[in-house]
Amino acid sequence: MEAILSAYRERLSRLRDNSNPYSAGIAWVAGEIVPLLEAKIPLIDQGFMHSDLTYDVVSVWDGRFFRLDDHIDRLEASCSRIRLRIPLEKNKLKGILVDMARQSRIPDACVQIVVTRGLKGVRANKLEHLTNLLYILLVPYVWLMEPEAQYHGGRAVVAKTVQRVPPGAMDPTVKNLQWGDFTRGMFEASDRGAEYAFLTDGNQNLTEGPGFNIHLVKDGIIHTPDRGCLHGITRDAVFEIAKANGIEAQAEAVPVEMAYRCDEIFTSTTAGGILPITALDGQPVHEGKVGPITRIIRDAYWTMHRDPVHSLDVFGVESHGK
């Protein structure tokens, strides 16, 4: 982990000295690539007006897209579930993403791909008359937990003042920008002296947090919620790594009370990877130290980024985005 972060800091230093106009971020809007802060969308876009959209976030690490096909496949599935369609075919989209990464010269990045309903809403319009729109933005890598903080872990709370929007109201397997419940949870966490909020489903089960899946380790077994949460790509990586290391991992209903008697807690997210939680509701987890299984999963996760099976070299592939 230390070697990985040391190399990252060196790349970050070089990026700060970069005079490239896209070094602070780059966007793709209506077929044009522009500096991030110059990107604009119409006010009447239904994604802005009614959050009628879905999106996905993929990372670039050391010049390599990580699990890009998995993210695009999930985006396509999300679009299908809410009757949207990505306006570009897959290879064209991948080509644009590669071009953006190349032009930005940002070696470590988070890329958000957004598909909106477009400039017309569902009311009074037939589905076949709606034109879905695509927006892409690439920014320097985002950490939900700063690298230095990962050595001692973060502080979380089980939210008491807000619950996760139920699946019957909004499908949590479709990434969306309706973050009203998450925002309330983040405010509560801050008010209670923590950085991360774990939301429940109203039936005393854990769901997820703002931008991350939750994992509990009890008696050597990893437990993660299977309902009321996004099926994270990083969560999938946790399952793969666990299997490769002979660690049992289960997706199931996870009662809140398990969080208070488990041995380790960590979260998983594209924005930071495997993040250890060493305090819950003000009480230490694993004596306030990062646990051994968390370390195994975390280290293997970053090693996976160099595996060509799971990553795509930005500078080693032909671009088809122009």
Side-chain angles (χ1 to χ4, degrees):
M1 185 67 182
E2 178 57 42
I4 291 170
L5 293 180
S6 177
Y8 162 74
R9 294 186 191 101
E10 181 180 345
R11 296 193 299 271
L12 183 61
S13 177
R14 292 199 302 268
L15 178 63
R16 287 169 178 159
D17 295 333
N18 191 345
S19 60
N20 187 328
Y22 300 136
S23 62
I26 185 172
W28 187 93
V29 180
E32 293 189 10
I33 289 177
V34 296
L36 179 63
L37 295 182
E38 296 179 15
K40 297 177 176 62
I41 66 170
L43 287 176
I44 60 171
D45 190 301
Q46 295 301 296
F48 174 76
M49 298 294 289
H50 294 116
S51 195
D52 191 357
L53 57 77
T54 187
Y55 74 105
D56 220 292
V57 179
V58 60
S59 66
V60 178
W61 186 259
D62 194 15
R64 303 180 72 89
F65 275 101
F66 185 58
R67 304 185 80 120
L68 178 56
D69 286 318
D70 292 340
H71 281 280
I72 294 177
D73 289 347
R74 184 174 66 177
L75 178 62
E76 290 178 333
S78 293
C79 285
S80 177
R81 292 179 75 89
I82 59 174
R83 303 191 190 189
L84 291 173
R85 184 182 63 83
I86 301 176
L88 300 175
E89 60 94 19
K90 186 173 183 178
N91 284 338
K92 178 74 171 180
L93 175 58
K94 290 175 69 173
I96 291 171
L97 294 171
V98 169
D99 279 350
M100 290 176 67
R102 286 175 173 173
Q103 291 191 47
S104 73
R105 289 183 247 159
I106 300 174
D108 308 296
C110 284
V111 187
Q112 186 161 322
I113 311 166
V114 185
V115 181
T116 75
R117 188 69 62 189
L119 305 185
K120 295 180 180 180
V122 174
R123 180 181 293 150
N125 288 296
K126 292 184 178 180
L127 186 63
E128 59 268 25
H129 296 159
L130 302 179
T131 301
N132 302 153
L133 297 180
L134 174 70
Y135 305 97
I136 307 170
L137 55 149
L138 182 153
V139 299
Y141 193 79
V142 176
W143 296 90
L144 288 193
M145 182 184 294
E146 290 299 321
E148 291 74 14
Q150 294 188 33
Y151 291 106
H152 54 77
R155 299 168 296 181
V157 297
V158 175
K160 298 179 180 178
T161 62
V162 60
Q163 298 168 356
R164 187 74 175 102
V165 172
M170 183 167 288
D171 186 346
T173 67
V174 176
K175 284 181 74 69
N176 62 79
L177 294 177
Q178 186 295 114
W179 270 45
D181 49 353
F182 283 157
T183 299
R184 288 177 60 190
M186 287 188 286
F187 276 128
E188 180 182 336
S190 179
D191 291 342
R192 294 171 58 190
E195 299 89 21
Y196 308 98
F198 293 176
L199 272 63
T200 67
D201 64 359
N203 291 313
Q204 292 302 305
N205 293 310
L206 292 173
T207 59
E208 60 185 343
F212 58 81
N213 288 115
I214 301 166
H215 306 265
L216 310 181
V217 180
K218 178 64 177 175
D219 298 329
I221 300 173
I222 299 173
H223 305 266
T224 191
D226 67 343
R227 188 173 183 272
C229 62
L230 182 72
H231 296 169
I233 302 298
T234 310
R235 187 183 82 152
D236 289 343
V238 170
F239 293 144
E240 292 175 23
I241 294 166
K243 183 177 180 180
N245 285 272
I247 300 169
E248 186 176 350
Q250 301 176 352
E252 59 190 353
V254 178
V256 173
E257 57 88 18
M258 181 185 288
Y260 298 110
R261 57 181 177 84
C262 67
D263 304 313
E264 303 175 41
I265 301 176
F266 64 89
T267 67
S268 61
T269 171
T270 293
I274 309 304
L275 310 179
I277 298 298
T278 52
L280 182 67
D281 287 358
Q283 299 299 313
V285 178
H286 192 69
E287 299 180 340
K289 300 176 182 178
V290 180
I293 288 181
T294 301
R295 291 180 185 276
I296 290 171
I297 301 296
R298 182 181 64 186
D299 293 348
Y301 172 76
W302 287 109
T303 299
M304 186 182 280
H305 283 64
R306 301 297 306 174
D307 185 346
V309 173
H310 296 296
S311 64
L312 175 69
D313 185 351
V314 168
F315 298 100
V317 295
E318 182 181 355
S319 172
H320 301 284
K322 294 182 178 180

